[in-house]
Amino acid sequence: MEAQIQTKSRAAQSSVPLLAVEDLHVQFETSRGTVRAVQGISYTVNRGEVVAIVGESGCGKSVSALTMMRLLAKTGRVTQGRILLEGRNLLELTDDEMRAVRGHEISMIFQEPMTSLNPVLTIGMQIMEPLLIHLKMTEEQALVRALELMQQVGITDGERRLSQYPHQLSGGMRQRVMIAIGLACKPKLIIADEPTTALDVTIQAQILELMKNLSRELGIALVIITHNLGIVARYADRVNVMYAANIIEKGTADDIFLKPAHPYTNGLMRSVPRLDEPRGTKLQTIEGLPPDLRMPPAGCRFAPRCPHRIEKCSQPISLIGIGAGHEARCHRVDEIASGKLKVEFPGGGAVNSQAQIGSAPILEVSGLKKYFGVKAAGAGFFSSEMATVRAVDDVSFSIAQGETLGLVGESGCGKTTVGRVVLRLDEATDGSIKFNGTDVTHHSGREMRGLRRKIQVIFQDPYSSLNPRMTVGEIIAEPLKVYGIVPEKKARNDRVGELLSQVGLFPYMAERYPHELSGGQRQRVGIARALALEPSLIVCDEPVSALDVSIQGQVINLLEDLQARLGLTYLFIAHDLAVVRHISDRVAVMYLGKIMELADRDEIYKRPLHPYTKALLDAAPIPDPRVEKARAPRALRGEIPSPLTPPSGCVFHTRCPIALDVCKQSVPPVRELKTSHLVACHRAEEIMEGKVLQGA
Amino acid sequence: MANTTAAMSANSAVTLPKRPNPVMTFVRQQPMGAVSFVVICAMMFAGLFPQFVAPYNPLDIDFSSLLAAPSWDHWFGTDAYGRDIFSRIIYGSRTALVIGFASSALGSSIGAVLGIASAYFGGRIDNWIQRFVDVLLAFPIIVLALVVVAALRKTVVYGVDVNLIIAIAIPILPRVARVVRAAALSVNVMPYIDAARAAGYSDTRIIFRHMAPNVVAPFLIMFTAFIAQAILLEASLSFLGLGVTEPTAAWGLMLSGNAADFYREAPWMVIFPGVAISLAVFAFNLFGDSLRDYLDPRFKT
């Protein structure tokens, strides 16, 4: 009898979705006008469901989440719409009532685990806080529950962690703590705003796996907000794609990934390099930029960038149903859904005739070491006891003229330091760097001057790599002036215009300041600055990782074009395996300051011989739910050890699934197992012969 | 996407808007700054051509109107010697401006260069510069200025004591160096400085072209604040007989001397010079703030 009633009430409950967002409008008053950040979005979340909201920066996805929590900045205002949590409109609650909802019924996990934990409170205090406040637990009860939560989120030595402070934990651990706090009061809904964006690929897989399992076991609904289509394929039940303050397509994960109906959704998926696709083709790109939300286009908002726009696209449009629960905001949706119209974007096709790869190495790095001294942990105030961080430990590689060497690894593996030492921004501790056959490791400042012209750099962050006080023209003209390449002012301005056109900008942009440009445009300016000196080698330090997905493809294509046209050589440093695979000829995988494996691109991605390379490839998400769901759950266990105390023997042995005793004792030498396939692993032969790690 | 260029898609050419008149832009964006600039201009005019503004000679003694209250004849009253206070304030603005401006400019500029160099080079050079700054900071402002002015004696060029300017500039120097170094340290780790290094520019170029413009905000605040400080310091030194001496008209001097004996009976003797100093200090600070905002390209629309 009781059971019957329970089933009944559950059935009644499930007819009402847990969360319903109805026709939500949010706008911000800024000094430059009204920004309509969210315009009429509606979606529902059922109990225990994982719903993803995908979109590029500025599309309104985070604003909609903050609105749900009623955490909008003061300038933001909800002008229309309702947010119903189990039928209760959250927008009409008093502040006190809302406080009871936050953290108790809905909790939120933020992107930056570094800054969303309070640095001066212990982990234990921060996990126990919601328990004490919302559930009115006693200290003892809260402590017990905190330990239980730590266990749930996979923190093993909970008791020790409770008294630690956030800075003592790694990024992945901190995100686990954030999740524990989110779970503390057994909420019905967790909103995760870019929960893994700041994390490394192997840690990202761990965290997502954890969140999905928790949601399934505890029946918590999960809203994941992200720009990364890949992670959504594996974990989301339903997906909402946002563009310029609207939801432009919604449907199940299968709908979105297998039968995308909106041209923008198509474009998003095409402009990302993928691990499971043949390469050698250029990425298709969505040209242009998202519209200004102060004056969006009257009709379809994507029309200005859409290759298939027709006259009708200037008419307003709302979501049009295609199948059960699959809707898209496009005038030509029927044509696309029925397959009459094939969505194609500019780009695609074969890469322009590959630059000739010369035989002579342009850059040879051998036995490179870079150690940093830091004050030892636990050293007293007056003590000068130093510890050594082996940022780069015995790294050797060479790059041939016209080639691209990809250097890939997780944060802290030393890949950026390699780039800085090659650029001579940092001095090498040991080893040698030869450029065009000349040893330049210890060149003095004057000797370097000539060399500087030949080795240039493109930085990761287009926001901070341009001097905010100089115009674009001044930034690009400066090297021309300083080196006397183009001494005359008039000619110099012409050359600046030429360089700007070369990177796909317009000469008139020379008058602008960096802050007046978008991220992608700034990165193009950074590329133009590097090109101004007519270098032969460019160190690209994560050149696309700070850019939006649709912009990434544009910049990658540009880099490839320039290489083909100007015969450039790239040292391409990145953490994104798919991007590296797309652009590189050869790839080196780094871990804790050492190169684990170095081989031809296709070779290393098809037949990795190092367990770490295998793990990285396994952890990288693929934007296809069929592929993703067929893959076994995979998460490399553990965390990256501190470079202050690297493990003995093979540095990877602490996380390696096939480590033996010998791996703990001796450092595996770098061996050439196949022609130009270098690997540093004791068991590489067994992996090659398929005896271990088969299909893992 | 509150970006101004967001509306402009990369493949549609847009004609460059005409650069508006910088003065008008400043007035529109920084009205308070414009007001303070007018005050400073008025002060400069008074300092340059006092004979056209002042109704009396500032040194003329009039025994028939000692300690006269403000009236139509003497707008701000007269002092214990019957000298017209309004005229003395007008003439005094020259002293204040020359000494204040020159010594603050000297001290702040050298301090800024030291601060940036300290941050840029780091290591041993940083250590040496900072220890030198420590030594200077160990003395109270007035004591340090006293020592310098006593050691250098007077060197008058065009009626201005150059050594007094140096004496006031030296205590300003370490204070600016400290603040600018802190700002420069954060600029020094920005990728655009790495980009400049990677391009092989000289240290001088990186310091002056790339770092200095990015520490201009704290520099301007310090610079304008120290103009005010310098005016006060000059007054203090004058009071001690080491700065400007009687009968020269100077605001600091007007506050000291026999004003202390008569301020109960003749409060105008201290009120008006005090107001003049406050107005100058206020105007310079306000102008510095607005100039800082105006010069930052990020605040421009």
Side-chain angles (χ1 to χ4, degrees):
Chain A
M1 181 69 186
E2 219 179 298
Q4 227 173 4
I5 291 169
Q6 253 183 9
T7 354
K8 220 175 182 177
S9 72
R10 194 172 294 162
Q13 267 184 357
S14 59
S15 64
V16 181
L18 174 67
L19 178 84
V21 176
E22 292 174 1
D23 193 29
L24 185 69
H25 287 68
V26 182
Q27 62 184 44
F28 288 88
E29 300 298 336
T30 70
S31 57
R32 293 172 181 178
T34 305
V35 175
R36 298 192 167 77
V38 170
Q39 272 198 297
I41 67 166
S42 309
Y43 61 87
T44 55
V45 180
N46 295 320
R47 262 158 256 277
E49 193 179 33
V50 181
V51 173
I53 301 177
V54 184
E56 296 180 273
S57 55
C59 72
K61 56 189 192 301
S62 293
V63 171
S64 67
L66 288 173
T67 313
M68 232 182 281
M69 295 294 273
R70 293 247 310 258
L71 289 173
L72 276 183
K74 284 216 168 62
T75 50
R77 205 155 54 85
V78 178
T79 50
Q80 204 180 316
R82 300 195 297 170
I83 297 174
L84 303 173
L85 181 72
E86 295 180 314
R88 230 170 7 139
N89 188 355
L90 294 183
L91 299 175
E92 282 168 358
L93 297 184
T94 64
D95 284 349
D96 278 338
E97 286 168 332
M98 193 59 215
R99 261 192 286 278
V101 171
R102 283 186 209 131
H104 193 178
E105 288 173 73
I106 309 180
S107 58
M108 190 149 179
I109 295 167
F110 293 92
Q111 171 173 1
E112 280 289 345
M114 314 295 160
T115 50
S116 42
L117 288 172
N118 188 334
V120 298
L121 297 179
T122 61
I123 298 299
M125 186 59 220
Q126 296 188 62
I127 298 181
M128 282 155 62
E129 207 173 12
L131 301 170
L132 300 172
I133 293 170
H134 288 303
L135 302 184
K136 308 271 181 290
M137 283 190 179
T138 61
E139 289 265 347
E140 292 77 40
Q141 287 170 317
L143 194 67
V144 173
R145 174 87 177 118
L147 284 169
E148 190 185 306
L149 284 165
M150 305 270 271
Q151 196 116 41
Q152 258 175 348
V153 297
I155 300 176
T156 42
D157 45 354
E159 258 152 276
R160 189 168 62 89
R161 297 285 184 195
L162 280 178
S163 56
Q164 288 187 324
Y165 290 89
H167 72 269
Q168 293 168 294
L169 272 60
S170 68
M173 273 301 171
R174 274 182 258 200
Q175 200 58 302
R176 283 172 196 272
V177 171
M178 281 305 295
I179 295 174
I181 297 172
L183 287 175
C185 299
K186 298 187 178 144
K188 296 167 186 141
L189 175 69
I190 296 182
I191 303 167
D193 189 358
E194 303 270 9
T196 59
T197 307
L199 303 175
D200 279 313
V201 123
T202 55
I203 309 295
Q204 181 176 316
Q206 290 175 359
I207 297 289
L208 286 169
E209 205 68 49
L210 169 71
M211 286 174 59
K212 174 85 180 179
N213 289 341
L214 287 173
S215 138
R216 197 178 297 141
E217 282 159 24
L218 307 175
I220 299 171
L222 198 58
V223 175
I224 299 182
I225 295 167
T226 182
H227 68 280
N228 187 342
L229 277 168
I231 68 166
V232 169
R234 184 179 179 89
Y235 302 101
D237 299 315
R238 287 191 298 130
V239 180
N240 298 298
V241 183
M242 280 188 79
Y243 181 78
N246 290 149
I247 288 180
I248 54 109
E249 184 164 0
K250 54 164 84 168
T252 62
D254 286 357
D255 286 339
I256 299 288
F257 286 96
L258 306 181
K259 298 175 286 181
H262 197 285
Y264 176 69
T265 318
N266 273 288
L268 263 191
M269 277 188 265
R270 309 272 179 87
S271 54
V272 196
R274 288 173 59 159
L275 278 177
D276 61 337
E277 277 192 343
R279 86 162 286 293
T281 53
K282 274 177 85 173
L283 294 172
Q284 297 189 10
T285 56
I286 309 173
E287 296 298 318
L289 298 169
D292 187 337
L293 289 179
R294 287 169 296 165
M295 35 181 174
C300 168
R301 295 189 168 187
F302 185 61
R305 300 175 77 188
C306 183
H308 301 292
R309 66 177 165 272
I310 49 175
E311 231 166 82
K312 204 179 167 199
C313 295
S314 54
Q315 309 285 321
I317 170 85
S318 51
L319 283 166
I320 297 171
I322 308 162
H326 188 188
E327 295 170 81
R329 195 184 281 262
C330 176
H331 284 292
R332 307 186 72 180
V333 69
D334 291 333
E335 291 171 71
I336 295 172
S338 64
K340 258 191 256 164
L341 176 68
K342 271 195 104 60
V343 181
E344 287 296 335
F345 278 87
V351 175
N352 295 5
S353 61
Q354 275 278 311
Q356 281 294 301
I357 296 180
S359 51
I362 187 168
L363 181 77
E364 283 173 275
V365 171
S366 53
L368 188 72
K369 289 182 183 168
K370 176 66 193 172
Y371 296 171
F372 292 102
V374 294
K375 199 161 180 177
F381 184 73
F382 294 103
S383 146
S384 55
E385 192 187 326
M386 297 290 274
T388 314
V389 176
R390 302 180 171 202
V392 176
D393 199 4
D394 202 4
V395 161
S396 309
F397 60 85
S398 70
I399 312 178
Q401 173 77 46
E403 187 191 34
T404 302
L405 176 73
L407 201 54
V408 63
E410 298 177 277
S411 58
C413 74
K415 55 187 193 300
T416 294
T417 311
V418 170
R420 290 182 63 88
V421 175
V422 166
L423 287 163
R424 293 286 315 278
L425 290 173
D426 283 329
E427 283 295 311
T429 309
D430 196 13
S432 78
I433 302 163
K434 276 189 192 161
F435 184 73
N436 271 335
T438 325
D439 192 328
V440 299
T441 326
H442 301 293
H443 263 20
S444 68
R446 186 167 305 159
E447 288 169 304
M448 274 311 286
R449 243 175 99 81
L451 194 68
R452 293 274 188 217
R453 281 191 59 179
K454 294 288 150 209
I455 309 182
Q456 272 303 303
V457 56
I458 300 168
F459 289 98
Q460 168 177 13
D461 185 359
Y463 295 88
S464 55
S465 61
L466 303 177
N467 190 335
R469 300 269 173 175
M470 291 166 83
T471 63
V472 166
E474 286 168 343
I475 289 170
I476 300 172
E478 194 178 22
L480 301 173
K481 191 162 119 195
V482 171
Y483 282 92
I485 299 171
V486 188
E488 204 203 333
K489 192 158 188 233
K490 179 80 179 58
R492 201 154 58 220
N493 287 342
D494 292 345
R495 176 80 180 121
V496 168
E498 207 178 296
L499 282 163
L500 282 171
S501 333
Q502 206 167 36
V503 296
L505 296 174
F506 295 97
Y508 66 81
M509 288 181 175
E511 303 265 338
R512 304 194 175 212
Y513 282 95
H515 73 273
E516 296 173 300
L517 304 179
S518 70
Q521 289 173 334
R522 283 184 230 200
Q523 197 58 298
R524 286 169 192 266
V525 173
I527 296 172
R529 173 177 62 189
L531 291 179
L533 286 169
E534 296 160 28
S536 39
L537 172 70
I538 299 186
V539 177
C540 308
D541 188 0
E542 301 263 17
V544 297
S545 62
L547 303 176
D548 264 322
V549 180
S550 73
I551 310 296
Q552 268 190 18
Q554 294 174 8
V555 172
I556 293 173
N557 280 352
L558 173 67
L559 286 172
E560 281 182 334
D561 263 1
L562 291 170
Q563 179 167 44
R565 258 192 290 165
L566 307 173
L568 298 169
T569 308
Y570 292 144
L571 173 59
F572 194 95
I573 299 165
H575 70 278
D576 188 324
L577 292 152
V579 168
V580 169
R581 172 177 179 266
H582 182 85
I583 201 167
S584 312
D585 298 301
R586 285 186 305 139
V587 175
V589 178
M590 279 189 78
Y591 184 77
L592 273 185
K594 288 180 186 291
I595 288 187
M596 296 281 114
E597 187 167 6
L598 195 166
D600 221 57
R601 171 197 58 220
D602 294 332
E603 172 77 14
I604 206 168
Y605 282 92
K606 269 192 211 124
R607 286 176 291 278
L609 293 183
H610 197 286
Y612 180 59
T613 316
K614 261 187 162 357
L616 272 185
L617 288 171
D618 286 344
I622 287 172
D624 186 335
R626 285 171 309 180
V627 179
E628 275 294 349
K629 278 173 186 154
R631 292 164 102 185
R634 69 286 139 133
L636 197 55
R637 62 201 157 101
E639 306 265 333
I640 303 174
S642 159
L644 272 171
T645 50
S648 62
C650 173
V651 284
F652 186 59
H653 84 249
T654 50
R655 301 174 77 194
C656 183
I658 55 164
L660 301 173
D661 277 345
V662 62
C663 302
K664 290 175 194 158
Q665 284 141 18
S666 73
V667 180
V670 178
R671 296 173 297 158
E672 187 163 359
L673 270 196
K674 286 193 244 174
T675 325
S676 68
H677 192 152
L678 302 165
V679 61
C681 176
H682 288 300
R683 303 189 70 184
E685 282 92 347
E686 295 167 72
I687 297 173
M688 187 160 70
E689 288 152 18
K691 285 184 190 153
V692 285
L693 278 180
Q694 191 58 12
Chain B
M1 291 296 351
N3 201 315
T4 39
T5 52
M8 181 211 60
S9 97
N11 38 20
S12 72
V14 177
T15 46
L16 187 72
K18 248 178 72 188
R19 294 253 151 183
N21 180 350
V23 176
M24 285 318 293
T25 322
F26 182 78
V27 171
R28 207 178 51 247
Q29 286 176 3
Q30 309 286 346
M32 286 310 280
V35 170
S36 60
F37 184 66
V38 169
V39 172
I40 291 171
C41 283
M43 236 149 63
M44 285 188 169
F45 181 78
L48 283 171
F49 310 105
Q51 60 273 30
F52 299 136
V53 186
Y56 297 89
N57 184 322
L59 307 182
D60 276 358
I61 294 170
D62 181 0
F63 289 110
S64 62
S65 51
L66 299 183
L67 297 176
S71 65
W72 282 113
D73 286 339
H74 299 282
W75 291 359
F76 291 176
T78 60
D79 66 7
Y81 299 105
R83 296 178 298 198
D84 181 49
I85 289 182
F86 179 65
S87 301
R88 286 183 70 75
I89 285 178
I90 295 299
Y91 276 86
S93 63
R94 168 183 288 181
T95 321
L97 281 174
V98 170
I99 308 251
F101 208 80
S103 45
S104 182
L106 188 70
S108 307
S109 309
I110 299 176
V113 172
L114 282 181
I116 298 173
S118 199
Y120 175 75
F121 291 108
R124 189 168 295 169
I125 294 178
D126 183 25
N127 218 344
W128 276 107
I129 293 179
Q130 289 312 308
R131 296 301 76 78
F132 168 66
V133 164
D134 282 343
V135 170
L136 291 185
L137 279 177
F139 297 98
I141 282 196
I142 184 77
V143 174
L144 187 56
L146 264 178
V147 170
V148 178
V149 87
L152 292 179
R153 313 215 174 266
K154 267 190 166 183
T155 317
V156 179
V157 180
Y158 289 113
V160 182
D161 184 356
V162 177
N163 286 339
L164 182 62
I165 292 175
I166 296 175
I168 297 175
I170 285 179
I172 293 175
L173 184 156
R175 287 164 175 83
V176 176
R178 265 290 148 82
V179 173
V180 169
R181 173 178 174 269
L185 276 177
S186 64
V187 171
N188 195 32
V189 295
M190 297 304 277
Y192 56 79
I193 300 298
D194 276 342
R197 280 184 197 166
Y201 301 153
S202 64
D203 293 336
T204 331
R205 184 171 190 93
I206 295 178
I207 288 179
F208 285 102
R209 187 74 184 87
H210 291 265
M211 293 187 76
N214 285 294
V215 295
V216 109
F219 173 78
L220 274 182
I221 294 174
M222 299 294 282
F223 173 56
T224 46
F226 276 118
I227 290 181
Q229 280 260 1
I231 292 174
L232 292 175
L233 198 54
E234 175 263 318
S236 319
L237 287 174
S238 303
F239 174 76
L240 294 170
L242 287 163
V244 182
T245 41
E246 284 280 11
T248 313
W251 297 345
L253 268 183
M254 295 168 76
L255 281 178
S256 57
N258 54 19
D261 306 329
F262 296 111
Y263 73 92
R264 279 173 206 278
E265 302 84 58
W268 51 88
M269 272 184 75
V270 287
I271 288 175
F272 291 109
V275 168
I277 292 178
S278 312
L279 197 63
V281 170
F282 193 59
F284 275 111
N285 282 344
L286 206 58
F287 182 64
D289 281 358
S290 4
L291 197 61
R292 175 200 60 194
D293 290 349
Y294 174 72
L295 288 182
D296 192 331
R298 280 164 293 197
F299 282 109
K300 277 185 201 158
T301 41

